[in-house]
Amino acid sequence: MSPDASPRSVDAVLFDTFGTVVDWRSGVAAAVAEFAQQHGFDADPGEFALRWRARYQPAMRAVRLGEREFVDLDVLHRENLLATAEELGIALDRVDDAEIDRLNRAWHRLDAWPDAIAGLTRLKRHFIIGPLSNGHTALLTNMAKHAGLPWDVIIGSDLTRAYKPDPEAYLRTAAILDLPPERVMLCAAHDEDLAAAQRAGLRTAFIPRPQEHGPAQRADPEPGGSWDVVARDVPDLAARLLDG
């Protein structure tokens, strides 16, 4: 732990959500499998989930660069869903829009990693906790209800009008909480997210999620930066912040 990252050096511990708090790959793959079975599509659910997710950052990049107006993640996810299906030769033209929308909202119905809720519950007794995510408020609220995430506050990207790693995503979140950036910590399993948060003046904590992308994962197997805290999981983060 950084000498400056004492239990009282921050007021809020916020979390990247997709991959850090919830297991998006398993949840999305399960929804794809159900959808494919219902409609008689031949699809590898895990591969579909990975390809769908691979379009996530490129889709947000157009918003960050000002090439299109801000739209929320449901819009981007639906566009990416249709593009992924086309890429894999899956014709959705005969599928009702409502059923496509339900599949798209699989991102609202993701389960937490097994360690997450216990660790968040302990942190909640001492810090403001919430997501610092590219998800919008409705998505993150639905996810919290589905997974039982005990957030104090949910500040979606529709409120900050910025997508990470745009510095405004971090700075506007801190401002909404009426906190200076250095009193806010971001916990994430992704070095790129933490590096951007650190440049914006936030404290940082890394926890590994080696199964986020499945058995073939290569990204972020261990911390790749000088973060304030490196923990095994969310309960270990709570212990390091609170027990020293």
Side-chain angles (χ1 to χ4, degrees), residues 8 11 117-129 150 152 238 242:
R8 297 297 165 229
D11 298 299
I117 293 173
L120 292 174
T121 299
R122 186 176 184 206
L123 287 167
K124 180 183 175 75
R125 292 197 290 268
H126 303 273
F127 304 99
I128 298 166
I129 65 166
D152 291 308
L242 296 169

Side-chain angles (χ1 to χ4, degrees), residues 41-206:
F41 294 129
D42 183 15
D44 179 330
E47 180 64 18
F48 193 106
L50 289 173
R51 293 198 185 199
W52 191 357
R53 176 68 173 184
R55 295 177 179 273
Y56 175 72
Q57 285 294 344
M60 290 185 295
R61 186 172 184 270
V63 176
R64 288 197 297 267
L65 293 177
E67 296 172 355
R68 69 181 295 183
E69 293 294 321
F70 181 90
V71 292
D72 69 36
L73 212 51
D74 279 350
V75 174
L76 298 181
H77 274 154
R78 198 179 198 281
E79 293 172 356
N80 294 343
L81 164 59
L82 298 177
T84 302
E86 182 177 5
E87 176 189 2
L88 294 175
I90 299 171
L92 298 180
D93 51 301
R94 296 186 179 181
V95 179
D96 188 82
D97 278 348
E99 295 180 64
I100 294 174
D101 287 341
R102 173 168 171 73
L103 174 58
N104 191 48
R105 289 171 67 87
W107 298 92
H108 294 228
R109 305 186 301 272
L110 302 174
D111 293 336
W113 292 108
D115 63 274
I117 293 173
L120 292 174
T121 299
R122 186 176 184 206
L123 287 167
K124 180 183 175 75
R125 292 197 290 268
H126 303 273
F127 304 99
I128 298 166
I129 65 166
L132 203 171
S133 170
N134 287 323
H136 51 287
T137 303
L139 183 157
L140 294 169
T141 301
N142 292 337
M143 181 193 295
K145 294 297 285 185
H146 172 86
L149 305 176
W151 301 134
D152 291 308
V153 63
I154 295 174
I155 301 171
S157 58
D158 53 322
L159 300 181
T160 63
R161 310 297 284 183
Y163 281 129
K164 299 185 297 178
D166 184 331
E168 292 302 319
Y170 310 94
L171 295 173
R172 291 174 187 169
T173 299
I176 289 171
L177 292 174
D178 196 23
L179 293 172
E182 65 271 17
R183 301 295 301 180
V184 178
M185 173 175 280
L186 174 68
C187 176
H190 312 118
D191 284 322
E192 180 183 19
D193 197 358
L194 292 174
Q198 189 176 69
R199 289 192 296 270
L202 277 67
R203 305 288 187 177
T204 53
F206 179 92

